[in-house]
Amino acid sequence: MPENREEFFYFILNNSQVCIIKYDSRGCIDYCNDRLLELTGYSAGELAGVHIGELIQNVFADEGGHIGLADEYKDLEVIETVLYRKNKTCFPVEVKVVSGVFDGVEVMICTAVDMTRYKESIRKVEETTIQMQESMKARDAFVANVTHELRTPVNGIKGHAEILMEQEQDFQKTNYLKMILDCCSTMEGIINNILDFSKLEAGKFQIDEKPFSFYDFISKMEKMFNMLTMRKGLRFTLNVAPEIPDKVIGDELRLTQILNNLVSNAVKFTEQGYVGVEIALNTRIGDEVELFFMVVDTGIGLSPEDKDKLFKSFSQADASITRKFGGTGLGLVITKELVTMMHGKVWAEGEKGKGSTFSFTIRLKTEHMQDAAEQEPSIRKWKYSNNLNRMAGEQDLMNELGSDINIRELRKYFEKLNISMDMENWQKAESFATMLKQLVSNGSKDLQRLAFRMEMSIRKSDCDKAREYARKVKEQLMLEIKGFEI
Protein backbone atom coordinates (compact mmCIF):
# COMPACT_ATOMS: atom_id res chain seq x y z
CA MET A 1 0.00 0.00 0.00
CA PRO A 2 1.42 3.46 -0.98
CA GLU A 3 2.35 5.75 1.89
CA ASN A 4 0.04 8.52 0.67
CA ARG A 5 -3.15 6.48 0.98
CA GLU A 6 -5.51 9.39 0.38
CA GLU A 7 -3.82 10.28 -2.91
CA PHE A 8 -3.91 6.60 -3.90
CA PHE A 9 -7.65 6.27 -3.25
CA TYR A 10 -8.43 9.47 -5.14
CA PHE A 11 -6.43 8.07 -8.08
CA ILE A 12 -8.66 5.01 -8.09
CA LEU A 13 -11.88 7.04 -7.80
CA ASN A 14 -10.95 9.43 -10.59
CA ASN A 15 -10.11 6.61 -12.99
CA SER A 16 -13.29 4.66 -12.33
CA GLN A 17 -15.87 4.29 -15.12
CA VAL A 18 -18.62 4.81 -12.53
CA CYS A 19 -19.78 8.33 -11.60
CA ILE A 20 -19.18 8.95 -7.87
CA ILE A 21 -20.74 11.83 -5.90
CA LYS A 22 -20.11 12.52 -2.21
CA TYR A 23 -22.58 14.85 -0.50
CA ASP A 24 -23.51 15.90 3.06
CA SER A 25 -26.69 15.34 5.03
CA ARG A 26 -28.32 18.40 3.44
CA GLY A 27 -27.57 17.10 -0.09
CA CYS A 28 -24.77 19.53 -0.93
CA ILE A 29 -22.03 18.05 -3.13
CA ASP A 30 -18.52 18.23 -1.70
CA TYR A 31 -16.80 15.77 -4.06
CA CYS A 32 -17.32 14.18 -7.50
CA ASN A 33 -14.90 12.14 -9.56
CA ASP A 34 -13.54 12.85 -13.05
CA ARG A 35 -15.98 10.43 -14.73
CA LEU A 36 -18.96 12.53 -13.60
CA LEU A 37 -17.34 15.75 -14.77
CA GLU A 38 -16.55 14.16 -18.14
CA LEU A 39 -20.14 13.02 -18.71
CA THR A 40 -21.93 16.14 -17.44
CA GLY A 41 -19.62 18.90 -18.74
CA TYR A 42 -19.24 20.55 -15.33
CA SER A 43 -15.98 21.53 -13.62
CA ALA A 44 -15.26 20.51 -10.02
CA GLY A 45 -15.62 24.10 -8.84
CA GLU A 46 -19.02 24.51 -10.52
CA LEU A 47 -20.48 21.54 -8.65
CA ALA A 48 -19.05 22.37 -5.21
CA GLY A 49 -21.97 23.04 -2.86
CA VAL A 50 -24.59 22.31 -5.56
CA HIS A 51 -27.56 20.24 -4.36
CA ILE A 52 -27.47 16.69 -5.70
CA GLY A 53 -31.08 17.10 -6.81
CA GLU A 54 -29.82 19.36 -9.61
CA LEU A 55 -28.04 16.41 -11.19
CA ILE A 56 -30.49 13.62 -10.27
CA GLN A 57 -34.00 15.01 -10.12
CA ASN A 58 -37.08 13.60 -8.35
CA VAL A 59 -35.11 10.86 -6.60
CA PHE A 60 -34.18 12.68 -3.37
CA ALA A 61 -36.46 14.34 -0.82
CA ASP A 62 -35.90 16.68 2.16
CA GLU A 63 -36.85 14.99 5.44
CA GLY A 64 -36.75 17.76 8.05
CA GLY A 65 -33.43 19.26 7.03
CA HIS A 66 -31.95 15.86 6.23
CA ILE A 67 -31.80 14.49 2.69
CA GLY A 68 -33.18 11.07 1.93
CA LEU A 69 -34.69 9.07 -0.92
CA ALA A 70 -38.22 9.77 -2.11
CA ASP A 71 -40.79 7.24 -0.80
CA GLU A 72 -41.12 5.36 -4.09
CA TYR A 73 -37.38 4.62 -4.17
CA LYS A 74 -36.69 3.75 -0.51
CA ASP A 75 -37.03 -0.01 -0.96
CA LEU A 76 -35.01 -0.16 -4.18
CA GLU A 77 -31.38 -1.21 -4.13
CA VAL A 78 -30.76 0.11 -7.65
CA ILE A 79 -32.72 3.04 -9.12
CA GLU A 80 -33.22 3.57 -12.86
CA THR A 81 -33.33 7.30 -13.60
CA VAL A 82 -31.49 10.00 -15.59
CA LEU A 83 -28.47 12.23 -14.87
CA TYR A 84 -28.60 15.84 -16.07
CA ARG A 85 -25.72 17.51 -17.88
CA LYS A 86 -24.68 21.16 -17.58
CA ASN A 87 -26.58 21.97 -20.82
CA LYS A 88 -29.81 20.56 -19.23
CA THR A 89 -29.83 17.43 -21.41
CA CYS A 90 -29.83 14.05 -19.68
CA PHE A 91 -28.83 10.41 -20.18
CA PRO A 92 -30.00 7.17 -18.53
CA VAL A 93 -28.21 5.88 -15.43
CA GLU A 94 -28.55 3.26 -12.73
CA VAL A 95 -28.11 4.89 -9.31
CA LYS A 96 -27.18 3.36 -5.99
CA VAL A 97 -27.08 5.34 -2.69
CA VAL A 98 -25.10 4.27 0.40
CA SER A 99 -24.22 6.04 3.67
CA GLY A 100 -21.98 5.56 6.69
CA VAL A 101 -20.58 7.37 9.74
CA PHE A 102 -16.83 8.02 9.93
CA ASP A 103 -15.25 9.83 12.91
CA GLY A 104 -18.73 10.95 13.93
CA VAL A 105 -19.46 12.46 10.53
CA GLU A 106 -22.17 11.00 8.26
CA VAL A 107 -20.87 10.37 4.75
CA MET A 108 -23.31 9.84 1.86
CA ILE A 109 -22.24 8.42 -1.50
CA CYS A 110 -24.21 8.20 -4.73
CA THR A 111 -22.88 6.11 -7.63
CA ALA A 112 -24.30 6.32 -11.14
CA VAL A 113 -23.58 3.95 -14.06
CA ASP A 114 -24.05 5.32 -17.57
CA MET A 115 -26.65 3.09 -19.30
CA THR A 116 -26.65 4.89 -22.66
CA ARG A 117 -24.96 2.10 -24.61
CA TYR A 118 -26.98 -0.56 -22.83
CA LYS A 119 -30.28 1.21 -23.55
CA GLU A 120 -29.23 1.74 -27.15
CA SER A 121 -28.41 -1.95 -27.46
CA ILE A 122 -31.82 -2.85 -26.00
CA ARG A 123 -33.51 -0.49 -28.44
CA LYS A 124 -31.65 -2.05 -31.38
CA VAL A 125 -32.51 -5.54 -30.17
CA GLU A 126 -36.18 -4.58 -29.89
CA GLU A 127 -36.12 -3.03 -33.35
CA THR A 128 -34.40 -6.12 -34.77
CA THR A 129 -36.92 -8.38 -33.04
CA ILE A 130 -39.82 -6.42 -34.51
CA GLN A 131 -38.21 -6.54 -37.95
CA MET A 132 -37.65 -10.30 -37.62
CA GLN A 133 -41.25 -10.82 -36.55
CA GLU A 134 -42.48 -8.80 -39.50
CA SER A 135 -40.12 -10.71 -41.78
CA MET A 136 -41.36 -14.05 -40.41
CA LYS A 137 -44.97 -12.98 -40.91
CA ALA A 138 -44.17 -12.02 -44.50
CA ARG A 139 -42.31 -15.31 -45.01
CA ASP A 140 -45.15 -17.36 -43.51
CA ALA A 141 -47.64 -15.59 -45.76
CA PHE A 142 -45.33 -16.20 -48.73
CA VAL A 143 -44.92 -19.91 -47.92
CA ALA A 144 -48.67 -20.32 -47.43
CA ASN A 145 -49.40 -18.59 -50.75
CA VAL A 146 -46.68 -20.46 -52.66
CA THR A 147 -47.73 -23.88 -51.31
CA HIS A 148 -51.33 -23.08 -52.16
CA GLU A 149 -50.34 -21.98 -55.66
CA LEU A 150 -48.19 -25.09 -56.11
CA ARG A 151 -50.96 -27.44 -54.97
CA THR A 152 -53.31 -26.18 -57.67
CA PRO A 153 -51.19 -27.18 -60.72
CA VAL A 154 -49.97 -30.38 -59.01
CA ASN A 155 -53.56 -31.46 -58.31
CA GLY A 156 -54.48 -30.51 -61.88
CA ILE A 157 -51.67 -32.61 -63.36
CA LYS A 158 -52.51 -35.49 -61.02
CA GLY A 159 -56.21 -35.40 -61.89
CA HIS A 160 -55.63 -35.36 -65.63
CA ALA A 161 -53.04 -38.14 -65.38
CA GLU A 162 -55.51 -40.31 -63.43
CA ILE A 163 -58.18 -39.74 -66.09
CA LEU A 164 -55.72 -40.69 -68.85
CA MET A 165 -54.66 -43.79 -66.86
CA GLU A 166 -58.25 -45.04 -66.92
CA GLN A 167 -58.46 -44.62 -70.69
CA GLU A 168 -54.96 -45.58 -71.84
CA GLN A 169 -54.22 -49.16 -72.96
CA ASP A 170 -50.67 -48.73 -74.27
CA PHE A 171 -48.19 -50.14 -71.72
CA GLN A 172 -45.41 -47.64 -72.35
CA LYS A 173 -47.75 -44.64 -72.10
CA THR A 174 -49.28 -46.10 -68.94
CA ASN A 175 -45.81 -46.34 -67.43
CA TYR A 176 -45.16 -42.69 -68.24
CA LEU A 177 -48.46 -41.71 -66.60
CA LYS A 178 -47.53 -43.70 -63.49
CA MET A 179 -44.22 -41.81 -63.34
CA ILE A 180 -46.15 -38.52 -63.53
CA LEU A 181 -48.42 -39.63 -60.67
CA ASP A 182 -45.41 -40.69 -58.58
CA CYS A 183 -43.80 -37.29 -59.18
CA CYS A 184 -47.03 -35.55 -58.16
CA SER A 185 -47.15 -37.58 -54.93
CA THR A 186 -43.52 -36.68 -54.18
CA MET A 187 -44.26 -33.02 -54.85
CA GLU A 188 -47.29 -33.13 -52.52
CA GLY A 189 -45.11 -34.59 -49.76
CA ILE A 190 -42.49 -31.85 -50.20
CA ILE A 191 -45.16 -29.12 -50.17
CA ASN A 192 -46.73 -30.53 -46.98
CA ASN A 193 -43.34 -30.79 -45.26
CA ILE A 194 -42.44 -27.19 -46.10
CA LEU A 195 -45.83 -25.97 -44.85
CA ASP A 196 -45.54 -28.01 -41.63
CA PHE A 197 -41.99 -26.73 -41.06
CA SER A 198 -43.16 -23.15 -41.55
CA LYS A 199 -45.94 -23.70 -39.01
CA LEU A 200 -43.47 -25.20 -36.53
CA GLU A 201 -41.12 -22.22 -36.79
CA ALA A 202 -44.02 -19.81 -36.39
CA GLY A 203 -45.23 -21.69 -33.29
CA LYS A 204 -48.57 -22.48 -34.97
CA PHE A 205 -48.30 -26.24 -34.64
CA GLN A 206 -50.58 -27.49 -31.87
CA ILE A 207 -51.31 -30.87 -30.35
CA ASP A 208 -55.02 -31.73 -30.42
CA GLU A 209 -55.60 -34.34 -27.72
CA LYS A 210 -58.71 -36.50 -28.10
CA PRO A 211 -59.72 -39.99 -26.92
CA PHE A 212 -58.95 -42.82 -29.37
CA SER A 213 -58.50 -46.58 -29.47
CA PHE A 214 -54.80 -47.43 -29.56
CA TYR A 215 -55.39 -50.88 -31.08
CA ASP A 216 -57.68 -49.51 -33.80
CA PHE A 217 -54.91 -47.03 -34.57
CA ILE A 218 -52.35 -49.86 -34.73
CA SER A 219 -54.62 -51.84 -37.08
CA LYS A 220 -54.77 -48.93 -39.53
CA MET A 221 -51.00 -48.48 -39.34
CA GLU A 222 -50.47 -52.21 -39.90
CA LYS A 223 -52.54 -52.26 -43.08
CA MET A 224 -50.92 -49.10 -44.46
CA PHE A 225 -47.35 -50.25 -43.75
CA ASN A 226 -47.99 -53.76 -45.09
CA MET A 227 -49.05 -52.27 -48.42
CA LEU A 228 -46.08 -49.88 -48.39
CA THR A 229 -43.49 -52.62 -47.80
CA MET A 230 -45.11 -55.22 -50.08
CA ARG A 231 -44.91 -52.83 -53.02
CA LYS A 232 -41.13 -52.87 -52.61
CA GLY A 233 -40.88 -56.60 -51.87
CA LEU A 234 -39.91 -56.06 -48.22
CA ARG A 235 -41.11 -57.95 -45.15
CA PHE A 236 -42.93 -55.97 -42.45
CA THR A 237 -43.15 -56.93 -38.77
CA LEU A 238 -45.10 -55.29 -35.94
CA ASN A 239 -44.92 -56.23 -32.27
CA VAL A 240 -47.03 -54.50 -29.62
CA ALA A 241 -46.70 -55.07 -25.87
CA PRO A 242 -50.05 -56.45 -24.56
CA GLU A 243 -49.96 -54.27 -21.42
CA ILE A 244 -50.46 -51.06 -23.42
CA PRO A 245 -53.97 -49.72 -22.63
CA ASP A 246 -56.48 -49.42 -25.46
CA LYS A 247 -58.40 -46.31 -24.41
CA VAL A 248 -55.95 -43.40 -24.53
CA ILE A 249 -56.06 -39.63 -25.01
CA GLY A 250 -53.64 -37.95 -27.41
CA ASP A 251 -53.18 -36.59 -30.91
CA GLU A 252 -53.77 -39.63 -33.13
CA LEU A 253 -53.16 -37.62 -36.31
CA ARG A 254 -49.71 -36.40 -35.18
CA LEU A 255 -48.75 -39.87 -33.93
CA THR A 256 -49.73 -41.21 -37.36
CA GLN A 257 -47.53 -38.53 -38.96
CA ILE A 258 -44.55 -39.48 -36.77
CA LEU A 259 -44.80 -43.21 -37.52
CA ASN A 260 -45.51 -42.62 -41.20
CA ASN A 261 -42.42 -40.38 -41.53
CA LEU A 262 -40.13 -42.95 -39.88
CA VAL A 263 -41.52 -46.05 -41.62
CA SER A 264 -41.64 -44.33 -45.03
CA ASN A 265 -37.99 -43.30 -44.57
CA ALA A 266 -37.09 -46.87 -43.60
CA VAL A 267 -38.81 -48.25 -46.72
CA LYS A 268 -37.26 -45.59 -48.96
CA PHE A 269 -33.71 -46.41 -47.80
CA THR A 270 -34.15 -50.22 -47.75
CA GLU A 271 -33.73 -52.25 -50.95
CA GLN A 272 -34.02 -55.73 -49.46
CA GLY A 273 -34.79 -57.35 -46.12
CA TYR A 274 -37.42 -56.02 -43.76
CA VAL A 275 -38.82 -53.04 -41.86
CA GLY A 276 -40.05 -53.62 -38.32
CA VAL A 277 -41.93 -51.65 -35.66
CA GLU A 278 -41.74 -52.47 -31.95
CA ILE A 279 -43.99 -50.75 -29.38
CA ALA A 280 -43.51 -51.17 -25.63
CA LEU A 281 -44.87 -49.65 -22.44
CA ASN A 282 -42.08 -47.73 -20.73
CA THR A 283 -43.85 -46.60 -17.58
CA ARG A 284 -47.13 -45.50 -16.00
CA ILE A 285 -47.18 -42.12 -14.26
CA GLY A 286 -50.55 -41.43 -12.66
CA ASP A 287 -53.09 -41.28 -15.47
CA GLU A 288 -50.34 -41.14 -18.14
CA VAL A 289 -48.41 -43.84 -19.97
CA GLU A 290 -45.06 -43.40 -21.68
CA LEU A 291 -44.77 -45.53 -24.81
CA PHE A 292 -41.54 -46.53 -26.53
CA PHE A 293 -41.55 -46.95 -30.33
CA MET A 294 -38.72 -48.45 -32.37
CA VAL A 295 -38.53 -48.54 -36.19
CA VAL A 296 -35.86 -50.95 -37.47
CA ASP A 297 -34.72 -51.55 -41.05
CA THR A 298 -32.03 -53.38 -43.01
CA GLY A 299 -31.32 -50.42 -45.30
CA ILE A 300 -28.30 -48.24 -46.05
CA GLY A 301 -27.64 -47.53 -42.37
CA LEU A 302 -25.95 -44.60 -40.63
CA SER A 303 -22.40 -43.64 -39.78
CA PRO A 304 -21.72 -41.93 -36.41
CA GLU A 305 -21.01 -38.58 -38.09
CA ASP A 306 -24.32 -38.76 -40.00
CA LYS A 307 -26.45 -38.81 -36.84
CA ASP A 308 -25.80 -35.15 -35.99
CA LYS A 309 -27.19 -34.01 -39.35
CA LEU A 310 -30.41 -36.03 -39.32
CA PHE A 311 -32.58 -33.74 -37.21
CA LYS A 312 -31.36 -30.45 -38.70
CA SER A 313 -33.41 -28.45 -41.18
CA PHE A 314 -32.86 -29.17 -44.89
CA SER A 315 -30.16 -31.73 -44.04
CA GLN A 316 -29.65 -35.41 -44.83
CA ALA A 317 -26.78 -37.73 -44.06
CA ASP A 318 -24.91 -36.67 -47.21
CA ALA A 319 -25.54 -35.07 -50.61
CA SER A 320 -25.53 -38.42 -52.43
CA ILE A 321 -28.62 -39.48 -50.48
CA THR A 322 -30.49 -36.39 -51.65
CA ARG A 323 -29.43 -37.06 -55.24
CA LYS A 324 -30.41 -40.74 -55.15
CA PHE A 325 -33.51 -40.76 -52.95
CA GLY A 326 -34.73 -37.14 -53.10
CA GLY A 327 -36.45 -35.25 -50.28
CA THR A 328 -35.92 -31.97 -48.44
CA GLY A 329 -34.57 -33.34 -45.18
CA LEU A 330 -37.51 -31.81 -43.28
CA GLY A 331 -39.34 -35.04 -42.38
CA LEU A 332 -37.12 -35.90 -39.41
CA VAL A 333 -37.05 -32.27 -38.22
CA ILE A 334 -40.85 -32.25 -38.12
CA THR A 335 -40.83 -35.68 -36.45
CA LYS A 336 -38.50 -34.49 -33.70
CA GLU A 337 -40.61 -31.39 -33.04
CA LEU A 338 -43.82 -33.44 -32.89
CA VAL A 339 -42.24 -35.96 -30.50
CA THR A 340 -41.05 -33.09 -28.27
CA MET A 341 -44.55 -31.58 -28.28
CA MET A 342 -45.86 -34.96 -27.12
CA HIS A 343 -43.39 -34.87 -24.17
CA GLY A 344 -40.97 -37.39 -25.65
CA LYS A 345 -37.50 -37.80 -27.13
CA VAL A 346 -36.15 -39.31 -30.36
CA TRP A 347 -32.92 -41.23 -31.07
CA ALA A 348 -31.16 -42.62 -34.14
CA GLU A 349 -28.74 -45.54 -34.22
CA GLY A 350 -27.18 -47.49 -37.04
CA GLU A 351 -24.13 -48.71 -38.87
CA LYS A 352 -23.21 -47.92 -42.45
CA GLY A 353 -24.55 -50.64 -44.73
CA LYS A 354 -26.16 -52.56 -41.85
CA GLY A 355 -29.47 -50.83 -41.34
CA SER A 356 -30.69 -48.26 -38.84
CA THR A 357 -32.97 -47.92 -35.83
CA PHE A 358 -35.07 -44.86 -35.00
CA SER A 359 -36.60 -44.80 -31.53
CA PHE A 360 -38.88 -42.34 -29.80
CA THR A 361 -41.04 -41.98 -26.71
CA ILE A 362 -44.34 -40.16 -26.27
CA ARG A 363 -46.77 -39.70 -23.40
CA LEU A 364 -50.48 -40.42 -23.67
CA LYS A 365 -53.20 -39.99 -21.07
CA THR A 366 -55.47 -42.90 -20.21
CA GLU A 367 -59.21 -42.50 -19.89
CA HIS A 368 -59.08 -44.79 -16.87
CA MET A 369 -56.79 -47.51 -15.57
CA GLN A 370 -57.57 -50.74 -17.39
CA ASP A 371 -56.88 -54.12 -15.82
CA ALA A 372 -55.67 -57.19 -17.68
CA ALA A 373 -59.17 -58.70 -18.06
CA GLU A 374 -60.44 -55.48 -19.64
CA GLN A 375 -57.43 -55.30 -21.98
CA GLU A 376 -57.76 -58.84 -23.35
CA PRO A 377 -60.73 -58.23 -25.71
CA SER A 378 -58.93 -55.21 -27.23
CA ILE A 379 -55.77 -57.24 -27.83
CA ARG A 380 -57.72 -60.14 -29.34
CA LYS A 381 -59.62 -57.72 -31.56
CA TRP A 382 -56.34 -56.15 -32.76
CA LYS A 383 -54.69 -59.51 -33.46
CA TYR A 384 -57.74 -60.70 -35.42
CA SER A 385 -57.93 -57.42 -37.32
CA ASN A 386 -54.17 -57.58 -37.84
CA ASN A 387 -54.46 -60.94 -39.62
CA LEU A 388 -57.36 -59.72 -41.73
CA ASN A 389 -55.42 -56.59 -42.66
CA ARG A 390 -52.42 -58.62 -43.76
CA MET A 391 -54.64 -60.86 -45.91
CA ALA A 392 -56.49 -57.82 -47.26
CA GLY A 393 -53.19 -56.11 -47.99
CA GLU A 394 -51.97 -59.07 -50.01
CA GLN A 395 -55.29 -59.29 -51.90
CA ASP A 396 -55.23 -55.52 -52.57
CA LEU A 397 -51.74 -55.89 -54.01
CA MET A 398 -52.89 -58.71 -56.27
CA ASN A 399 -55.86 -56.70 -57.46
CA GLU A 400 -53.62 -53.68 -58.01
CA LEU A 401 -51.17 -55.86 -59.92
CA GLY A 402 -54.02 -57.01 -62.13
CA SER A 403 -55.00 -53.43 -62.87
CA ASP A 404 -51.41 -52.31 -63.45
CA ILE A 405 -50.56 -55.16 -65.81
CA ASN A 406 -52.38 -55.11 -69.10
CA ILE A 407 -53.62 -58.71 -69.44
CA ARG A 408 -54.39 -58.26 -73.13
CA GLU A 409 -50.79 -57.11 -73.75
CA LEU A 410 -49.42 -60.06 -71.76
CA ARG A 411 -51.32 -62.57 -73.83
CA LYS A 412 -50.24 -60.85 -77.05
CA TYR A 413 -46.53 -60.88 -76.17
CA PHE A 414 -46.61 -64.44 -74.85
CA GLU A 415 -48.14 -65.56 -78.14
CA LYS A 416 -45.47 -63.71 -80.14
CA LEU A 417 -42.77 -65.07 -77.85
CA ASN A 418 -43.91 -68.66 -78.40
CA ILE A 419 -44.00 -68.17 -82.19
CA SER A 420 -40.50 -66.61 -82.17
CA MET A 421 -39.09 -69.47 -80.08
CA ASP A 422 -40.77 -72.05 -82.34
CA MET A 423 -39.11 -70.34 -85.33
CA GLU A 424 -35.86 -70.01 -83.33
CA ASN A 425 -35.85 -66.30 -84.04
CA TRP A 426 -33.99 -65.46 -80.81
CA GLN A 427 -33.52 -61.79 -81.60
CA LYS A 428 -37.28 -61.19 -81.78
CA ALA A 429 -37.86 -63.57 -78.87
CA GLU A 430 -35.49 -61.50 -76.74
CA SER A 431 -37.35 -58.27 -77.55
CA PHE A 432 -40.70 -59.90 -76.62
CA ALA A 433 -39.19 -61.31 -73.41
CA THR A 434 -37.93 -57.84 -72.53
CA MET A 435 -41.42 -56.40 -73.05
CA LEU A 436 -42.91 -59.13 -70.85
CA LYS A 437 -40.35 -58.41 -68.14
CA GLN A 438 -41.35 -54.73 -68.20
CA LEU A 439 -45.05 -55.64 -68.08
CA VAL A 440 -44.59 -57.63 -64.86
CA SER A 441 -42.24 -55.09 -63.22
CA ASN A 442 -44.95 -54.29 -60.64
CA GLY A 443 -45.42 -57.93 -59.72
CA SER A 444 -43.86 -59.89 -56.86
CA LYS A 445 -40.12 -60.47 -56.55
CA ASP A 446 -40.64 -64.11 -57.56
CA LEU A 447 -42.44 -63.05 -60.73
CA GLN A 448 -39.77 -60.49 -61.60
CA ARG A 449 -37.02 -63.04 -60.96
CA LEU A 450 -38.64 -65.64 -63.21
CA ALA A 451 -39.15 -63.08 -66.00
CA PHE A 452 -35.48 -62.09 -65.73
CA ARG A 453 -34.31 -65.72 -65.95
CA MET A 454 -36.60 -66.27 -68.94
CA GLU A 455 -34.98 -63.30 -70.71
CA MET A 456 -31.45 -64.54 -69.87
CA SER A 457 -32.23 -68.04 -71.20
CA ILE A 458 -33.51 -66.58 -74.47
CA ARG A 459 -30.39 -64.45 -74.81
CA LYS A 460 -28.35 -67.63 -74.51
CA SER A 461 -30.62 -69.32 -77.07
CA ASP A 462 -31.32 -72.06 -74.51
CA CYS A 463 -34.66 -73.27 -75.85
CA ASP A 464 -35.51 -75.76 -73.08
CA LYS A 465 -34.81 -73.38 -70.21
CA ALA A 466 -36.52 -70.52 -72.02
CA ARG A 467 -39.72 -72.54 -72.41
CA GLU A 468 -39.50 -73.77 -68.81
CA TYR A 469 -39.17 -70.25 -67.42
CA ALA A 470 -41.92 -68.98 -69.75
CA ARG A 471 -44.20 -71.65 -68.30
CA LYS A 472 -43.23 -70.70 -64.73
CA VAL A 473 -43.90 -67.02 -65.45
CA LYS A 474 -47.41 -67.92 -66.68
CA GLU A 475 -48.06 -70.06 -63.58
CA GLN A 476 -46.92 -67.26 -61.27
CA LEU A 477 -49.12 -64.77 -63.11
CA MET A 478 -52.10 -67.07 -62.66
CA LEU A 479 -51.40 -67.07 -58.92
CA GLU A 480 -51.03 -63.32 -58.70
CA ILE A 481 -53.72 -62.07 -61.07
CA LYS A 482 -57.27 -63.20 -60.64
CA GLY A 483 -58.70 -64.45 -63.92
CA PHE A 484 -55.37 -64.59 -65.77
CA GLU A 485 -55.16 -67.57 -68.12
CA ILE A 486 -53.21 -68.25 -71.32
Side-chain angles (χ1 to χ4, degrees), residues 13 70 121 160 177 205 211 221 229 242 250 304 320 345 363 394 414:
L13 295 175
S121 298
H160 285 85
L177 289 170
F205 238 28
M221 293 293 97
T229 51
S320 63
K345 295 181 180 179
R363 289 194 179 186
E394 291 170 357
F414 265 118

Side-chain angles (χ1 to χ4, degrees), residues 14 76 108 242:
N14 285 324
L76 298 178
M108 307 184 79

Side-chain angles (χ1 to χ4, degrees), residues 230-484:
M230 285 169 66
R231 289 175 193 274
K232 204 170 179 182
L234 303 173
R235 185 163 53 91
F236 178 71
T237 62
L238 174 62
N239 293 311
V240 183
E243 61 269 21
I244 296 175
D246 180 45
K247 303 299 182 184
V248 294
I249 301 171
D251 195 328
E252 184 180 3
L253 177 63
R254 297 306 181 195
L255 182 54
T256 300
Q257 191 174 356
I258 292 168
L259 269 179
N260 188 47
N261 275 347
L262 293 179
V263 174
S264 296
N265 262 8
V267 172
K268 180 166 72 169
F269 297 127
T270 303
E271 295 300 327
Q272 58 184 2
Y274 75 95
V275 173
V277 176
E278 305 279 337
I279 308 174
L281 176 64
N282 251 6
T283 184
R284 289 181 182 264
I285 306 169
D287 64 345
E288 288 187 338
V289 290
E290 184 177 82
L291 303 183
F292 178 79
F293 294 76
M294 187 164 62
V295 178
V296 185
D297 65 64
T298 55
I300 62 175
L302 298 169
S303 64
E305 56 270 18
D306 291 339
K307 296 174 190 175
D308 294 335
K309 303 177 184 177
L310 287 174
F311 299 103
K312 293 179 180 178
S313 307
F314 303 101
S315 175
Q316 291 187 335
D318 58 56
S320 63
I321 288 177
T322 304
R323 287 194 298 271
K324 183 175 180 180
F325 297 99
T328 59
L330 290 177
L332 289 178
V333 178
I334 294 167
T335 296
K336 183 180 180 181
E337 290 297 327
L338 288 175
V339 168
T340 302
M341 291 173 75
M342 298 178 80
H343 311 290
K345 295 181 180 179
V346 63
W347 301 269
E349 298 293 334
E351 189 175 344
K352 206 74 172 176
K354 295 186 179 180
S356 57
T357 301
F358 285 82
S359 310
F360 68 94
T361 60
I362 60 162
R363 289 194 179 186
L364 299 173
K365 294 177 183 177
T366 54
E367 286 191 306
H368 54 85
M369 302 302 287
Q370 301 167 47
D371 57 28
E374 188 179 1
Q375 280 286 97
E376 188 60 30
S378 296
I379 297 171
R380 284 204 305 270
K381 177 185 175 185
W382 171 70
K383 286 183 176 178
Y384 176 72
S385 174
N386 194 30
N387 290 332
L388 288 180
N389 284 343
R390 185 177 290 107
M391 293 167 63
E394 291 170 357
Q395 186 60 49
D396 286 346
L397 187 66
M398 299 310 173
N399 293 338
E400 184 181 299
L401 180 62
S403 64
D404 284 346
I405 295 179
N406 190 315
I407 295 176
R408 186 169 59 84
E409 292 291 304
L410 278 172
R411 287 174 176 155
K412 180 178 73 174
Y413 284 116
F414 265 118
E415 183 180 352
K416 291 183 177 181
L417 175 64
N418 288 331
I419 293 172
S420 298
M421 288 194 295
D422 288 342
M423 298 177 63
E424 296 189 356
N425 187 339
W426 298 110
Q427 186 175 355
K428 279 192 175 182
E430 183 182 343
S431 66
F432 294 135
T434 301
M435 289 302 299
L436 285 166
K437 188 180 74 171
Q438 291 176 356
L439 280 169
V440 301
S441 61
N442 286 327
S444 69
K445 290 292 183 184
D446 287 339
L447 181 58
Q448 293 177 42
R449 194 177 300 111
L450 289 170
F452 173 76
R453 289 178 178 174
M454 177 182 70
E455 183 186 37
M456 291 299 102
S457 300
I458 290 171
R459 284 184 181 178
K460 294 177 182 178
S461 302
D462 190 334
C463 187
D464 292 338
K465 281 192 176 181
R467 291 185 186 280
E468 179 187 353
Y469 281 122
R471 177 182 57 79
K472 288 182 177 180
V473 169
K474 292 176 188 178
E475 290 174 354
Q476 188 67 28
L477 280 168
M478 291 172 68
L479 290 173
E480 295 190 21
I481 303 179
K482 185 178 180 182
F484 178 82

Side-chain angles (χ1 to χ4, degrees), residues 190-209:
I190 292 171
I191 290 170
N192 290 335
N193 275 347
I194 291 174
L195 191 57
D196 283 348
F197 180 71
S198 178
K199 287 180 180 177
L200 279 171
E201 283 206 320
K204 294 180 181 178
F205 238 28
Q206 293 182 344
I207 296 298
D208 184 18
E209 294 187 336

Side-chain angles (χ1 to χ4, degrees), residues 91-243:
F91 57 94
V93 290
E94 282 189 352
V95 168
K96 187 173 183 179
V97 175
V98 294
S99 64
V101 178
F102 298 91
D103 296 329
V105 179
E106 186 178 22
V107 176
M108 307 184 79
I109 300 292
C110 173
T111 60
V113 178
D114 182 8
M115 301 298 290
T116 304
R117 290 184 178 178
Y118 174 76
K119 294 289 185 181
E120 181 65 18
S121 298
I122 293 295
R123 185 187 65 78
K124 287 182 178 179
V125 168
E126 290 174 347
E127 286 181 356
T128 303
T129 301
I130 292 171
Q131 289 173 359
M132 286 179 62
Q133 289 172 345
E134 293 298 324
S135 176
M136 287 179 68
K137 285 180 183 178
R139 186 203 63 184
D140 292 341
F142 174 76
V143 170
N145 288 334
V146 168
T147 51
H148 175 73
E149 293 298 326
L150 284 173
R151 276 198 179 101
T152 302
V154 169
N155 288 336
I157 294 168
K158 188 175 181 181
H160 285 85
E162 287 172 346
I163 292 170
L164 288 173
M165 278 281 287
E166 294 174 1
Q167 302 172 351
E168 187 57 60
Q169 296 295 320
D170 183 84
F171 169 74
Q172 192 171 18
K173 291 179 181 178
T174 302
N175 259 359
Y176 289 150
L177 289 170
K178 284 180 64 182
M179 289 174 65
I180 292 171
L181 288 173
D182 287 343
C183 290
C184 287
S185 297
T186 301
M187 190 67 177
E188 283 179 335
I190 292 171
I191 290 170
N192 290 335
N193 275 347
I194 291 174
L195 191 57
D196 283 348
F197 180 71
S198 178
K199 287 180 180 177
L200 279 171
E201 283 206 320
K204 294 180 181 178
F205 238 28
Q206 293 182 344
I207 296 298
D208 184 18
E209 294 187 336
K210 294 178 182 178
F212 69 95
S213 165
F214 184 77
Y215 289 96
D216 285 349
F217 159 76
I218 288 300
S219 293
K220 288 184 284 187
M221 293 293 97
E222 168 79 354
K223 183 175 181 181
M224 182 171 69
F225 296 148
N226 259 323
M227 292 293 292
L228 189 65
T229 51
M230 285 169 66
R231 289 175 193 274
K232 204 170 179 182
L234 303 173
R235 185 163 53 91
F236 178 71
T237 62
L238 174 62
N239 293 311
V240 183
E243 61 269 21

